[in-house]
Amino acid sequence: MEERPTEHQYSVRVEIVGLELGRALARLEMLASNTHALEAELAVDELAALQYALHEAAELLYGIEPPPAMATAHGELTVALGRARELTGEVAEVVEEGGADSARLLVPEWRGTLFAVRLAHMRLFSTEPATTDEQPTLREYSQARHLTALALVTAGTGAFSAGATVGSWPLWAAGIAAVCGSMLTYRH
């Protein structure tokens, strides 16, 4: 019996799937955004190949056991891939039978399913793995930076307003410096 991969091993495996998937999604999104490309003679063959790439990505994900913290996001991605695969097949079928003009009616839903795949992939990697050590996680560090930036912009705005109201340029300049500091803190 194969043991469950660690969160890091799982992330690496899913990232490899994501790299291959990214190429297919980029091409599918290009076709969905420019339906004139669907008029090309090879469009149906290309759609079939891209549909298979979606199928292959779903199969690879099906073979990977997710860590408990990532199971829900993993399931969302596999469902989104399945729906995108089905709709890509429908688009290919409609293009083959009725041409690109007939497929234009499916394009909004098709683009939505492709977006759902991207969103599910993003959610999978936004799931923070559980940590056992006492070190602050990246998310906690990020929240601290955001709170610091909020405090700086609030204090800076107050100091700037007070300095402008009473005509005290040092208070006014300190307010500007605090607001600028908040931008630097938030950005890095």
Side-chain angles (χ1 to χ4, degrees):
M1 184 168 153
E2 187 177 323
E3 81 179 46
R4 183 176 288 212
T6 66
E7 290 163 353
H8 177 71
Q9 291 169 330
Y10 172 78
S11 294
V12 169
R13 289 180 188 174
V14 172
E15 188 60 34
I16 291 169
V17 171
L19 290 172
E20 294 299 318
L21 179 62
R23 292 183 190 106
L25 280 176
R27 184 64 184 149
L28 284 165
E29 288 166 345
M30 194 285 303
L31 290 169
S33 67
N34 178 14
T35 54
H36 295 294
L38 293 174
E39 295 170 0
E41 287 182 35
L42 298 175
V44 173
D45 292 336
E46 184 175 12
L47 285 171
L50 293 168
Q51 180 185 15
Y52 183 73
L54 294 171
H55 171 76
E56 192 174 43
E59 286 293 318
L60 289 170
L61 285 176
Y62 183 74
I64 301 172
E65 177 94 20
M70 298 175 167
T72 302
H74 180 93
E76 288 176 7
L77 181 56
T78 55
V79 168
L81 280 168
R83 183 65 188 131
R85 181 190 67 232
E86 291 169 6
L87 202 52
T88 300
E90 288 178 36
V91 169
E93 187 178 311
V94 169
V95 168
E96 187 172 33
E97 292 175 3
D101 285 336
S102 301
R104 292 184 210 284
L105 296 174
L106 290 174
V107 168
E109 184 181 359
W110 187 32
R111 290 182 78 180
T113 61
L114 296 174
F115 176 76
V117 171
R118 290 241 188 237
L119 182 62
H121 188 259
M122 182 193 71
R123 282 186 180 156
L124 187 63
F125 284 101
S126 69
T127 304
E128 289 292 322
T131 57
T132 57
D133 55 355
E134 296 299 319
Q135 300 267 336
T137 65
L138 183 59
R139 181 173 282 174
E140 290 168 343
Y141 177 72
S142 179
Q143 287 175 344
R145 282 187 308 125
H146 293 166
L147 289 174
T148 302
L150 178 63
L152 282 171
V153 79
T154 303
T157 303
F160 177 83
S161 299
T165 303
V166 297
S168 173
W169 72 266
L171 189 56
W172 176 82
I176 289 177
V179 170
C180 291
S182 73
M183 287 186 264
L184 293 174
T185 302
Y186 185 79
R187 185 168 182 197
H188 294 337

